[in-house]
């Protein structure tokens, strides 16, 4: 993995990192507050000898003092020094317990003896240090005196009195919090790396390329469900999703050069990966490019095309397969382009038998001959075998993979199942979040420039222009009105044709009227199918 991959992992787990850093800082602050605070005070004693007569004696005396200091350091924790301190300060400690709170030290090459005392309060620490220093001085003087007289050659004097400490011992609170936050960040990074290592979801295109070498036709950004084509086909023409669909259409045109059939089977590994939405959007885009497209809902278990497009589903694919109606009479036009939809029809108990029937193969042959492109909205591969059966009759399989939804194992298993069919396979990455690196610039806005409206020509008085000029202006005005009519017709070009419905509570007369309208619409659809496809295709 490169540094960029590590940065992506940390960005994906930014919430985890922030939580761990916050928890680490809070825990460290709590540990600081719960910790028992102790204060330490110091008293420094200066150790010297009597005045020497010559330099040699001074040097010998200095060496003697430094040698004695080693003994005086150990003497500070003795019972002879600490017992008087306990009596003097009325402490509730034994000499052994007080020895843990008192210490003495001396730096090499100096004649200073430092007495440290630790207590729960600053004032008590200063008193304890001062008392230990005084009693240590008395004890050393007594031990160094000859015959109990103050004739010792060693003198101890207080060089620095004990000072009441201001801050407790140990690191400051901010240092505690900083260390806790660093520890939390370390745990957060470790958790992010571990989560990335055990995560089996498809997060980016690189994860797909590790599984298969099949061509990826495009990446579709995530879009809301409110954009479902239940009415007009999307007046949005410059959105990132529409541009991604157009790129998918273009790439699909290049890879289909050597396909054996013009039938495309659109499927996915598991449900809810967006195969139906992708199939519908691709069908609309192909129809807008000038192709004659047939969209067939072959998901007989959970059909969704009719609901998405607002079409009637009472008669459809199952009706044609059982021989109850001709397929050309069941095709429902959608929009003003050459897009015809064959819905799934009524649910059946044996969808696999219908898909494997000869009627299905014959229907696919008829549609493949009558249309430039036939799109099959197939069921997902892993839950049922319908998709594998339908892929045999297709010239290419378009497998939709949803980011952050399908796992590596599911995609690998689905691709292994599809490899048995021996049909060319292409992939489409769906539901890619906006701003993701795999969108390849789809989020950049590049909308059409607004066009300025041309002012309508104004007629001038008869003396200002000739008759020929008036004729030209009239022709231009008529031409402008023709363009306005064309633009007005294009604005309603994609209104779907809906089956008429009766208004509730209208009585028997309205029911009869509705039945008459339905029969009229059925006859019109039959006549239109005859004009479109001709009688020679009917069997």
């Amino acid at each position: 993995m490169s540094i960029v991959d590590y940065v992506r992992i940390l960005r994906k787990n930014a919430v985890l990192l922030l939580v761990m850093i916050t928890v680490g800082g809070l825990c460290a602050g709590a540990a600081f507050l719960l910790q028992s605070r102790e204060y330490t005070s110091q008293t420094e004693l200066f150790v010297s000898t009597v005045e020497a007569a010559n330099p040699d004696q001074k040097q010998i005396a200095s060496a003697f003092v430094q040698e004695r200091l080693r003994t005086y350091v150990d003497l500070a924790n003795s019972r002879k020094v600490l017992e008087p301190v306990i009596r003097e300060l009325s402490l509730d400690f034994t000499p052994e317990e007080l020895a843990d709170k008192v210490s003495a030290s001396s730096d090499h090459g100096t004649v200073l003896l430092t007495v440290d005392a630790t207590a729960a309060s600053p004032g008590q620490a200063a008193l304890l240090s001062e008392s230990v220093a005084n009693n240590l001085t008395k004890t050393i003087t007594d031990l160094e005196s000859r015959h109990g007289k103050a004739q010792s050659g060693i003198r101890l004097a207080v060089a620095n009195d004990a000072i009441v400490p201001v801050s407790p011992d140990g690191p400051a609170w901010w240092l505690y919090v900083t260390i806790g936050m660093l520890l939390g960040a370390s745990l957060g990074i470790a958790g992010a790396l571990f989560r990335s290592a055990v995560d089996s979801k498809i997060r980016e295109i690189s994860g797909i390329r590790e599984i298969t070498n099949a061509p990826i036709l495009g990446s579709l950004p995530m879009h809301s469900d409110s954009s479902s084509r239940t009415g007009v086909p999307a007046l949005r023409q410059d959105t990132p999703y529409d541009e991604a669909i157009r790129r998918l259409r273009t790439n699909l045109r290049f890879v289909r050069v050597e396909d054996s059939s013009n039938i495309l089977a659109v499927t996915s590994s598991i449900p809810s990966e967006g195969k139906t939405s992708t199939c519908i959007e691709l069908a609309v885009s192909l129809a807008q490019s000038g192709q004659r497209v047939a969209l067939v809902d072959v998901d007989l278990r959970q059909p969704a095309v009719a609901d998405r497009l607002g079409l009637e589903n009472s008669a459809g694919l199952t009706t044609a397969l059982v021989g109850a109606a001709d397929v050309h009479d069941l095709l429902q036009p959608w929009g003003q382009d050459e897009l015809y939809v064959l819905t799934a029809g009524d649910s059946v108990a044996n969808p696999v038998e219908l898909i494997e029937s000869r009627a299905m193969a014959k229907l696919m042959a008829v549609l493949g001959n009558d249309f430039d492109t036939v799109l099959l909205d197939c069921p997902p591969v892993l839950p049922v075998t319908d998709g594998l059966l339908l892929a045999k009759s297709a010239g290419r399989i378009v497998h939709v993979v949803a980011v952050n939804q399908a796992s590596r194992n599911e995609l690998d298993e689905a691709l292994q199942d599809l490899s048995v069919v021996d049909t060319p396979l292409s992939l489409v990455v769906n539901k890619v979040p906006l701003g993701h690196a795999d969108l390849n610039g789809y989020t950049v806005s590049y909308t059409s420039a607004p066009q300025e409206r041309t002012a309508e020509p104004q007629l001038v008085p008869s003396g200002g222009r000739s008759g020929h000029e008036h004729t030209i202006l009239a022709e231009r005005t008529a031409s402008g009105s023709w363009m306005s009519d064309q633009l007005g017709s294009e604005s309603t070009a994609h209104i779907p044709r809906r089956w008429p419905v009766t208004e509730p509570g209208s009585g028997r007369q309205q029911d009869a009227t509705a039945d008459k309208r339905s029969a009229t619409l059925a006859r019109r659809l039959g006549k239109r199918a005859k004009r479109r496809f001709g009688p020679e295709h009917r069997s």
Side-chain angles (χ1 to χ4, degrees):
M1 297 178 64
S2 61
I3 298 179
V4 178
D5 296 331
Y6 285 110
V7 173
R8 288 182 180 178
I9 293 175
L10 295 181
R11 287 182 58 186
K12 293 177 183 177
N13 297 272
V15 176
L16 175 62
L17 286 176
L18 292 177
V19 170
M20 293 303 297
I21 291 174
T22 304
V23 170
L26 293 176
C27 291
F32 175 80
L33 295 177
L34 295 177
Q35 184 181 9
S36 59
R37 300 180 183 181
E38 294 182 341
Y39 298 85
T40 300
S41 181
Q42 293 181 346
T43 302
E44 291 185 347
L45 299 176
F46 181 79
V47 183
S48 62
T49 59
V50 295
E51 294 292 336
N54 52 61
D56 294 336
Q57 292 180 349
K58 290 182 179 181
Q59 185 176 2
I60 294 173
S62 178
F64 174 76
V65 170
Q66 293 182 7
E67 183 178 355
R68 288 291 194 182
L69 283 175
R70 300 176 184 176
T71 304
Y72 299 160
V73 169
D74 298 334
L75 191 62
N77 293 329
S78 63
R79 297 178 63 92
K80 193 173 182 62
V81 175
L82 298 180
E83 286 179 351
V85 174
I86 294 174
R87 291 192 299 268
E88 181 180 343
L89 299 178
S90 301
L91 299 177
D92 190 14
F93 293 112
T94 63
E96 290 76 13
E97 294 175 347
L98 184 59
D100 296 334
K101 300 180 178 297
V102 175
S103 64
S105 61
S106 176
D107 295 334
H108 181 71
T110 65
V111 291
L112 291 177
L113 180 62
T114 303
V115 178
D116 297 328
T118 302
S121 63
Q124 189 176 4
L127 291 176
L128 182 60
S129 177
E130 184 179 356
S131 178
V132 172
N134 293 335
N135 285 276
L136 179 62
T137 301
K138 294 178 182 180
T139 302
I140 292 176
T141 301
D142 293 341
L143 292 177
E144 294 290 349
S145 298
R146 298 176 182 178
H147 306 291
K149 299 179 180 180
Q151 299 177 354
S152 172
I154 300 296
R155 296 179 180 178
L156 283 82
V158 177
N160 290 314
D161 293 329
I163 300 176
V164 178
V166 178
S167 58
D169 299 341
W173 67 268
W174 59 267
L175 188 58
Y176 266 86
V177 174
T178 302
I179 294 175
M181 294 176 66
L182 291 176
L183 291 176
S186 301
L187 293 177
I189 293 174
L193 295 177
F194 177 77
R195 182 180 178 183
S196 176
V198 300
D199 186 16
S200 61
K201 296 292 184 181
I202 299 294
R203 304 295 182 184
E204 50 194 12
I205 289 182
S206 59
I208 300 177
R209 298 192 187 278
E210 294 175 359
I211 299 175
T212 178
N213 295 324
I216 299 177
L217 300 180
S219 302
L220 305 182
M222 184 179 296
H223 67 295
S224 60
D225 295 338
S226 59
S227 60
S228 300
R229 299 178 177 271
T230 56
V232 220
L235 300 175
R236 42 175 180 78
Q237 295 296 330
D238 295 315
T239 64
Y241 187 82
D242 287 306
E243 292 299 329
I245 288 293
R246 294 189 188 100
R247 179 170 298 205
L248 171 61
R249 179 188 68 189
T250 303
N251 294 338
L252 186 62
R253 182 177 303 172
F254 292 140
V255 299
R256 291 178 59 191
V257 175
E258 298 181 356
D259 288 356
S260 59
S261 173
N262 60 346
I263 300 177
L264 296 176
V266 181
T267 184
S268 60
S269 302
I270 58 177
S272 303
E273 290 196 72
K275 63 174 183 60
T276 301
S277 300
T278 303
C279 188
I280 293 174
E281 298 289 346
L282 182 58
V284 173
S285 182
L286 289 172
Q288 290 175 349
S289 67
Q291 296 188 28
R292 183 184 297 176
V293 182
L295 174 59
V296 185
D297 190 356
V298 292
D299 192 350
L300 303 181
R301 302 174 188 269
Q302 297 182 7
V305 174
D307 293 337
R308 298 288 182 90
L309 297 180
L311 299 177
E312 178 64 31
N313 194 38
S314 59
L317 177 61
T318 56
T319 309
L321 293 180
V322 298
D326 186 80
V327 63
H328 299 95
D329 297 333
L330 299 172
L331 288 169
Q332 302 182 49
W334 196 88
Q336 294 298 326
D337 299 312
E338 295 291 328
L339 174 58
Y340 296 87
V341 181
L342 181 60
T343 60
D346 293 333
S347 59
V348 293
N350 54 344
V352 177
E353 287 74 6
L354 287 179
I355 292 174
E356 288 184 313
S357 63
R358 294 182 179 180
M360 184 66 178
K362 185 178 180 180
L363 185 144
M364 289 292 105
V366 170
L367 294 178
N369 187 35
D370 291 343
F371 291 90
D372 298 326
T373 301
V374 179
L375 286 171
L376 305 181
D377 181 24
C378 303
V381 176
L382 294 182
V384 292
T385 60
D386 302 5
L388 297 177
L389 299 174
L390 293 166
K392 295 180 180 180
S393 59
R396 178 169 293 273
I397 302 171
V398 178
H399 193 84
V400 179
V401 182
V403 172
N404 300 327
Q405 188 165 349
S407 66
R408 298 172 184 265
N409 296 333
E410 290 170 342
L411 177 59
D412 188 19
E413 185 178 354
L415 294 180
Q416 288 181 2
D417 294 341
L418 291 174
S419 63
V420 181
V421 183
D422 197 19
T423 302
L425 174 70
S426 299
L427 300 178
V428 175
V429 184
N430 194 25
K431 298 183 179 181
V432 181
L434 290 176
H436 198 278
D438 291 337
L439 284 181
N440 298 326
Y442 289 151
T443 57
V444 179
S445 178
Y446 195 73
T447 58
S448 302
Q451 297 182 357
E452 297 182 359
R453 296 184 59 182
T454 306
E456 296 182 359
Q458 301 292 334
L459 294 178
V460 298
S462 58
R465 294 184 183 272
S466 64
H468 176 67
E469 291 174 338
H470 283 298
T471 304
I472 294 176
L473 285 177
E475 291 176 356
R476 291 180 179 176
T477 304
S479 175
S481 63
W482 174 81
M483 289 296 293
S484 301
D485 295 339
Q486 289 295 323
L487 292 176
S489 63
E490 288 181 2
S491 64
T492 59
H494 298 289
I495 300 179
R497 294 172 174 83
R498 298 178 179 270
W499 290 83
V501 294
T502 58
E503 296 292 336
S506 301
R508 297 181 178 179
Q509 183 177 0
Q510 292 187 356
D511 293 340
T513 304
D515 295 339
K516 183 177 180 180
R517 291 178 180 176
S518 300
T520 304
L521 179 59
R523 288 196 299 271
R524 289 179 180 178
L525 289 177
K527 292 179 181 180
R528 183 174 299 173
K530 293 178 181 179
R531 291 197 301 268
R532 291 284 186 183
F533 309 106
E536 64 275 5
H537 297 296
R538 305 170 67 91
S539 57

